[in-house]
Amino acid sequence: MDHFNIAVIGLGYVGLPLARLFATRYPVVGFDTNPKRVNELLAGKDHTLEMEEALLQSVLKNKPDANAGLFCSADPEDIRTCNCYIITVPTPVDRNNRPDLTALLAASRMAGTVIRKGDLVVYESTVYPGATEEDCIPVIEQTSGLTLNVDFLAGYSPERINPGDREHTVEKVRKVVSGSTPEAALLVERLYASVVRGGTHRAPSIRVAEAAKVIENTQRDINIAFVNELKKIFDRMGIDTNAVLEAAGTKWNFLPFKPGLVGGHCIGVDPYYLAQKAQEYGYHPEIILAGRRMNDSMSEYVAGEVVKLMVKRGIRVTDAAILVLGITFKEDCTDIRNSKAADVVAALKEYGACVTVCDPWADADEVKREYGVDVCREMPDSPFDAVVMTVAHRAFANIHVNSDLFYSIR
């Protein structure tokens, strides 16, 4: 392949930064099935706040052509002339925590309608080992009538986007690359190495690259589960968990994890992908699933601890005014997917409390739609019986609220 004409399928937290980066060097069509999202981007805006407007606007163009730049579209016809298709759609779990490949398979079908001989398709979405070659590529082959490694090549290069992180951006982070053949791996590496300053690591197979990605977040999940369990233990002992971690952290090889609510579309989801695949091979992953159970239990634990503190102080829980600080899944980002803070709110309401939620980052309409919760962006002036910090936004660092009871999981 002498030149790359790139289509990035999926313009969310992963796809948009990647499309913008490639557009500094190549012609790129960013495709998304949501016309509202496409129109927003064509206007040079990004409601997720992951992309600085000046950076986005510097690469935007109003039609696809052979020159470097980014054109955004919701019309599959606009990606038909591309020769490299990069798929960056979400891979969530369903209500039973089973992997949901609906969006990934739909993107594969669409790629199959436009791919031609000699083209390259690369997946970035987090999956279990084997998903690219066993689930996705057969869909492309069936739709297109083409054969992998005969008519087209495939690769996998897992995303490493961290929402809200302005330091570890896509061009700075080392990229794992892999391919369906050694030739494909070299092609994928050449593509990413041309724009990523952090360098590349060529994995020996797609399955290895898939496995590497899914254990990155699983490892973090297990480590956070450990300190969450420590918090439950030390709370019973009347010991300050943060003070314990600070003391232990003076040892050179102690890992600096903190207790917290583990939600979002990565750490709170990816371990289930690995667990599902492990079970298909007849192995029950005890540590992985134990970590998930521990972290999924923290919302109820936080609500219960707040209620216990209120009772001890003689505060009536029913109809109590409680302020919850933060509803996004993590600090300093707009993403509310799989928010465990929302579970804390729901649990406090079940106790009969009147809960007010404040979050300067969250989109109020999106939160209302997803969780049925009203959100204010400015700190309320009214007094509260209790204040619960669920998300440590920088904006909350020096807040002063009218309440005698303040609880933070951190």
Side-chain angles (χ1 to χ4, degrees):
M1 187 175 290
D2 297 327
H3 70 282
F4 294 107
N5 193 336
I6 301 169
V8 175
I9 300 173
L11 295 175
Y13 287 86
V14 175
L16 179 61
L18 186 69
R20 194 284 310 173
L21 179 60
F22 276 125
T24 61
R25 179 161 181 166
Y26 303 107
V28 178
V29 178
F31 175 86
D32 200 282
T33 57
N34 184 352
K36 182 179 178 182
R37 174 65 167 163
V38 169
N39 290 333
E40 169 192 77
L41 296 176
L42 287 173
K45 307 290 183 181
D46 173 28
H47 79 275
T48 71
L49 304 182
E50 289 298 306
M51 177 63 57
E52 294 180 10
E53 290 185 7
L55 275 179
L56 176 59
Q57 292 168 3
S58 69
V59 297
L60 276 179
K61 54 187 180 182
N62 57 17
K63 63 179 180 179
D65 56 42
N67 299 314
L70 173 63
F71 173 71
C72 299
S73 174
D75 184 354
E77 288 300 310
D78 286 328
I79 64 173
R80 188 172 291 279
T81 58
C82 297
N83 61 8
C84 176
Y85 299 91
I86 303 178
I87 296 176
T88 61
V89 297
T91 45
V93 292
D94 64 19
R95 65 179 62 188
N96 296 311
N97 292 322
R98 293 175 301 199
D100 181 359
L101 300 183
T102 301
L104 195 61
L105 297 180
S108 299
R109 277 190 292 274
M110 192 187 68
T113 66
V114 295
I115 196 170
R116 297 168 297 175
K117 287 188 176 182
D119 287 355
L120 171 69
V121 58
V122 180
Y123 288 85
E124 287 219 0
S125 305
T126 303
V127 290
Y128 45 73
T132 299
E133 293 162 298
E134 296 167 12
D135 298 303
C136 299
I137 295 301
V139 172
I140 293 179
E141 291 180 318
Q142 182 179 15
T143 307
S144 66
L146 303 178
T147 302
L148 177 66
N149 298 331
V150 176
D151 301 311
F152 70 98
L153 297 174
Y156 182 78
S157 181
E159 59 90 3
R160 281 177 165 168
I161 295 293
N162 183 25
D165 189 337
R166 302 297 182 263
E167 179 182 354
H168 301 98
T169 52
V170 61
E171 64 266 33
K172 297 178 183 177
V173 176
R174 194 173 184 186
K175 207 78 167 66
V176 174
V177 296
S178 63
S180 54
T181 66
E183 176 193 7
L186 288 171
L187 185 62
V188 175
E189 185 170 38
R190 177 160 65 90
L191 171 65
Y192 282 94
S194 68
V195 293
V196 174
R197 301 198 305 269
T200 58
H201 172 86
R202 194 187 328 144
S205 69
I206 287 177
R207 286 166 61 88
V208 167
E210 291 168 327
K213 169 57 184 176
V214 80
I215 71 163
E216 289 175 13
N217 288 329
T218 302
Q219 181 188 65
R220 286 187 59 79
D221 192 45
I222 292 170
N223 278 296
I224 296 170
F226 171 60
V227 294
N228 276 338
E229 185 164 59
L230 292 181
K231 180 171 177 58
K232 290 184 176 183
I233 294 170
F234 294 141
D235 281 355
R236 290 192 175 203
M237 296 179 177
I239 298 174
D240 184 339
T241 305
N242 285 328
V244 173
L245 294 173
E246 183 180 357
T250 59
K251 188 181 180 187
W252 67 90
N253 61 351
F254 188 81
L255 301 178
F257 286 90
K258 298 285 188 181
L261 301 172
V262 183
H265 57 102
C266 290
I267 300 178
V269 169
D270 296 352
Y272 289 120
Y273 274 73
L274 183 56
Q276 163 105 1
K277 202 63 177 177
Q279 289 168 335
E280 290 178 13
Y281 280 79
Y283 182 82
H284 180 75
E286 297 181 12
I287 294 176
I288 293 171
L289 292 179
R292 281 282 73 236
R293 287 192 297 271
M294 173 58 63
N295 286 337
D296 277 347
S297 74
M298 289 306 291
S299 297
E300 287 286 347
Y301 178 77
V302 168
E305 287 298 290
V306 171
V307 168
K308 281 196 289 187
L309 287 171
M310 293 174 69
V311 171
K312 285 180 180 179
R313 298 190 186 186
I315 302 172
R316 176 183 167 88
V317 178
T318 303
D319 297 326
I322 299 179
L323 174 64
V324 171
L325 299 175
I327 196 73
T328 59
F329 92 90
K330 62 174 285 188
E331 64 274 9
D332 301 325
C333 82
T334 63
D335 197 343
I336 65 165
R337 287 177 291 178
N338 191 26
S339 168
K340 297 305 176 184
D343 292 342
V344 173
V345 173
L348 290 171
K349 287 183 175 180
E350 286 181 1
Y351 282 107
C354 298
V355 183
T356 299
V357 179
C358 177
D359 194 311
W361 283 85
D363 182 292
D365 292 336
E366 190 178 2
V367 174
K368 184 69 172 179
R369 233 177 7 253
E370 185 70 21
Y371 300 111
V373 173
D374 293 314
V375 176
C376 60
R377 299 182 71 89
E378 302 293 334
M379 194 67 63
D381 294 327
S382 56
F384 290 91
D385 295 302
V387 176
V388 185
M389 182 183 289
T390 51
V391 186
H393 292 310
R394 282 193 294 263
F396 296 151
N398 299 305
I399 60 165
H400 298 282
V401 289
N402 189 356
S403 176
D404 292 329
L405 197 163
F406 182 88
Y407 180 91
S408 173
I409 191 171
R410 289 290 182 93

